Amino acid sequence: ASRISTPHMDRLAREGMRFVDAHSGSAVCTPTRYGLLTGRYAWRTRLKRGVQNGYGPPLIQQERVTLPEFLRDQGYATAMVGKWHLGLGFVRNDDAIDYTQPLSDGAHTHGFDWSYIIPASLDFPPYVYIEGGRVTAQPGLTQAGSSFPVFLRKGPRAPDFVMQDCLDHLTDQATGVIGRLAEKEQPFFLYYALTAPHKPVLPHPRFRGQSGLGPYGDFVMQVDAVVGQVLDAIDDAGVRDKTLVILTSDNGSFMYRTSGKDHLDDSAQQAYRPVHHTANGVLRGTKADVWEAGHRVPFVVRWPQQVRAGSSAEPTICLTDVFATVAEILGQELAAGVAPDSGSFQALLAARPQDYQREPVVHHSANGTFAIRDGRWKLVLGNGSGGREKPVGKPFPGPYSLFDLAADLTESHDLLQHQPEVAERLKNDLEAIRTRP
């Protein structure tokens, strides 16, 4: 059981279906977001490792069909709030960005009728809000850099952008648009990409000291409160019974263990004692790793009258699968080349696991290490974490590692020498997936 109180997320799980073997498309955020919106693994793009910063060029090609574009074609109103992190079309004059000019690329050019976003993670400048492709206020201030856990990069900041208020502000935008869209007869899709509990680990003062596990635990409690606000907005709008809600994450936890008390006053420091808390449970590794803790994520679906409350699904899924699932729910076939790495899990939502089929899921670490998962078997095409786990050397003797996750969820026992035929099959499967158009 968790030591952090999360009543609203717990409620969502009780009212819906938990997917216990769900995976992000990458162990870091930019490529996972690409995969969610396009149904395509990001390693097929120019981004072969790592993430983009706030000034990065657009990653989604204009001709690539996105989930909101698909839904808009089906008659949906579409909206996005929060972290974009997929590159923006800032207008440059010589070497300087002209923030007065509308952006040529962003959420507003990839299928969202209305959007209110920040460029990337909350630790990346420029620190500005962007509504409908326009910066809401000019970044005339300079944000100082700071170290972990309140990690920030130095850069320009707009006066309406206050770090510790950012999550509250974005939540107000998200709940507001739910109310506005629900007033119309048109169905709607909202993608709310939270900025937390990613760094900077900066919980609002009203949450400080609440968890007893330091600022990261407090930040998780704030995220839970946000989930509650969104669920309340759906209830208040009167659309609960016909709204499908998905709660998930773009990668595993970084497992902060620092107290982060240097930025607090004396009274607050007393509540920020360093307390060890393993956010990823028994899973090996951390965010960025090819190990399970890097990409195995929470995934909860609530859909009243369609998905049985308090149920769970055990088969492996990937966040790229949301696209094909939505298409099947709507009874629409996807055109050739659209969402090529997406497989529908509608059969699981309908409690028909015997009808669920999916090709092996491909995992990808921060440095570009591949792994492939098929049923109980996972083959890691490298030796080491591919990310941040220390030590990052070679924990196993061979060039690859094979694990039976049904018996060894901690990925402690390499079976490469004992099951060479399984490893060869998975290696061939990965090559076939990687090389197809």
Side-chain angles (χ1 to χ4, degrees), residues 147-416:
S147 58
F148 281 95
V150 189
F151 180 81
L152 287 166
R153 294 170 173 87
K154 181 180 178 180
R157 177 172 64 85
D160 65 344
F161 200 104
V162 180
M163 293 296 172
Q164 68 181 16
D165 295 335
C166 181
L167 186 57
D168 284 345
H169 181 62
L170 293 175
T171 301
D172 288 343
Q173 298 295 326
T175 56
V177 75
I178 289 172
R180 294 195 302 273
L181 293 177
E183 292 177 350
K184 305 176 182 179
E185 295 184 1
Q186 185 181 13
F188 68 87
F189 167 65
L190 169 64
Y191 170 43
Y192 181 19
L194 277 66
T195 56
H198 192 281
K199 60 183 185 295
V201 183
L202 189 61
H204 194 273
R206 69 183 185 276
F207 290 95
R208 290 181 183 171
Q210 295 299 306
S211 71
L213 290 170
Y216 189 70
D218 296 348
F219 218 17
V220 172
M221 290 185 68
Q222 183 174 357
V223 168
D224 182 71
V226 167
V227 172
Q229 289 177 265
V230 172
L231 295 179
D232 287 346
I234 293 171
D235 291 346
D236 293 344
V239 294
R240 179 187 185 277
D241 288 344
K242 55 183 178 181
T243 300
L244 188 157
V245 176
I246 296 176
L247 173 70
T248 189
S249 176
D250 55 3
N251 46 242
S253 171
F254 190 59
M255 299 193 298
Y256 289 96
R257 295 192 180 96
T258 55
S259 67
K261 63 184 181 180
D262 293 344
H263 67 290
L264 303 176
D265 59 28
D266 291 341
S267 61
Q269 285 190 27
Q270 300 303 314
Y272 276 65
R273 299 184 304 274
V275 180
H276 178 77
H277 181 64
T278 306
N280 291 317
V282 302
L283 302 180
R284 180 170 187 164
T286 180
K287 169 186 176 177
D289 291 349
V290 77
W291 309 130
E292 287 296 287
H295 47 78
R296 188 182 286 234
V297 295
F299 194 95
V300 180
V301 178
R302 188 187 75 176
W303 193 11
Q305 303 175 12
Q306 300 292 332
V307 172
R308 184 164 60 87
S311 59
S312 63
E314 296 185 358
T316 309
I317 68 165
C318 182
L319 265 61
T320 57
D321 297 340
V322 172
F323 203 139
T325 303
V326 168
E328 183 174 359
I329 288 172
L330 295 178
Q332 300 293 319
E333 290 190 10
L334 295 173
V338 174
D341 299 311
S342 187
S344 174
F345 53 79
Q346 164 61 4
L348 300 179
L349 296 177
R352 293 185 285 103
Q354 69 276 9
D355 296 333
Y356 175 70
Q357 292 184 332
R358 195 202 191 284
E359 69 178 12
V361 171
V362 177
H363 306 312
H364 204 232
S365 79
N367 77 352
T369 297
F370 281 95
I372 183 168
R373 172 74 184 283
D374 188 17
R376 66 192 301 155
W377 296 108
K378 175 181 177 181
L379 179 69
V380 177
L381 279 296
N383 196 322
S385 73
R388 295 171 177 165
E389 185 197 53
K390 305 295 184 185
V392 294
K394 297 183 177 181
F396 302 106
Y400 303 152
S401 302
L402 178 69
F403 303 101
D404 177 0
L405 295 186
D408 178 27
L409 192 56
T410 61
E411 296 174 282
S412 301
H413 306 290
D414 177 17
L415 301 179
L416 184 66

Side-chain angles (χ1 to χ4, degrees), residues 42-49 52 56-60 86-87:
W43 44 260
R44 299 192 189 279
T45 72
R46 58 174 171 77
L47 187 68
K48 306 301 182 184
R49 59 175 61 200
Q52 298 209 132
L59 185 61
I60 303 177
L86 289 166

Side-chain angles (χ1 to χ4, degrees), residues 52-59 84-91 103-108 117-120 126 128 130:
Q52 298 209 132
N53 62 30
Y55 302 104
L59 185 61
W84 177 241
H85 213 170
L86 289 166
L88 294 164
F90 285 115
V91 175
L103 280 68
S104 63
D105 198 290
H108 63 295
I117 63 174
I118 67 170
V128 294
I130 301 167

